[in-house]
Amino acid sequence: MKLYDYFRSSAAYRVRIAIELKGLNLERIPVHLARGEQRRADYLAKNPQGLAPALELDDGTILTQSLAIIDYLDALAPQPLLTPKDPLLAAKVRGVALAIACDIHPLNNRRVLDYLRERLGQDDSGVDAWVHHWALQGGLEAVERLVEPGPFCFGAQPTLADVCLVPQLFAARRFSTPLETLPKLLAVEAHCLAHPAFAAAEPSRQADAEP
């Protein structure tokens, strides 16, 4: 399998964490989003959305969207299972994962921020204010109340919620988002980053990492 990846992408970071947790060995192919490599014809032929990540299976099948890819990996290599079997716990885990991946992350995605700058004329302070607002209000501040640390988001084992949380906090820091009102999330993050799988997936540890 091949993972089309970008070291700073929060969505790709999620998939890297899942891969590391499951001990899978995949070929990693960088797609530099800041240089527009996702808009090349050969990449759009694989992923028409022009986003990262994408997972290419051995038979050439392409999977897109990080949560769909992780769901596939959970079925392919169910140890550890990132979406618990217990239906109530699974619903709580998915609730946090979807809050991050569907409600928070898209509003500070590169495409949105580029539009704010290029089409709406926002300067860096305006873009930062946008990110801080949507990352926190109704976003991470709500997730802070939803998690049940123990010491991961929901108990003693990492789940899809943790896989989504850590990259989102990384993204928030890139824009100097104030996080001091999120003590539970910061404690979960610290525990996650002490785990070898989360550490190996960190953006700074990737071969294509840049300052």
Side-chain angles (χ1 to χ4, degrees), residues 30-85:
V31 178
H32 202 298
L33 302 186
R35 296 175 187 161
E37 293 179 1
Q38 73 277 18
R39 294 189 291 272
R40 294 185 324 214
D42 59 339
Y43 187 69
L44 288 172
K46 296 179 182 295
N47 184 354
Q49 282 190 291
L51 300 173
L55 182 69
E56 183 171 357
L57 308 186
D58 292 341
D59 66 359
T61 300
I62 302 292
L63 303 181
T64 63
Q65 289 293 333
S66 63
L67 297 192
I69 292 170
I70 293 170
D71 188 56
Y72 173 78
L73 296 177
D74 234 10
L76 183 70
Q79 295 301 324
L81 195 62
L82 298 177
T83 300
K85 290 184 178 180

Side-chain angles (χ1 to χ4, degrees), residues 175-189:
F175 294 93
S176 302
T177 306
L179 302 176
E180 61 270 10
T181 60
L182 310 173
K184 289 198 295 184
L185 298 188
L186 294 178
V188 170
E189 178 194 39

Side-chain angles (χ1 to χ4, degrees), residues 135-180:
L136 290 171
Q137 295 186 8
L140 290 171
E141 289 175 351
V143 173
E144 170 81 6
R145 297 194 293 274
L146 291 170
V147 298
E148 301 168 4
F152 292 99
C153 281
F154 292 97
Q157 302 299 323
T159 66
L160 183 62
D162 304 279
V163 167
C164 290
L165 174 64
V166 169
Q168 193 58 52
L169 292 174
F170 164 80
R173 286 194 180 89
R174 288 184 57 214
F175 294 93
S176 302
T177 306
L179 302 176
E180 61 270 10

Side-chain angles (χ1 to χ4, degrees), residues 5 26 39 75 100 105 109 111 152 181 196 202:
D5 188 12
L26 279 68
R39 294 189 291 272
I100 293 170
H105 172 249
N109 186 275
R111 296 183 300 169
F152 292 99
T181 60
E202 285 184 25

Side-chain angles (χ1 to χ4, degrees), residues 113-143:
L113 304 187
D114 285 347
Y115 190 89
L116 287 172
R117 292 187 180 97
E118 296 166 9
R119 298 297 297 274
L120 301 183
Q122 293 296 312
D123 59 14
D124 287 345
S125 64
V127 171
D128 286 351
W130 168 280
V131 171
H132 297 173
H133 175 79
W134 293 113
L136 290 171
Q137 295 186 8
L140 290 171
E141 289 175 351
V143 173

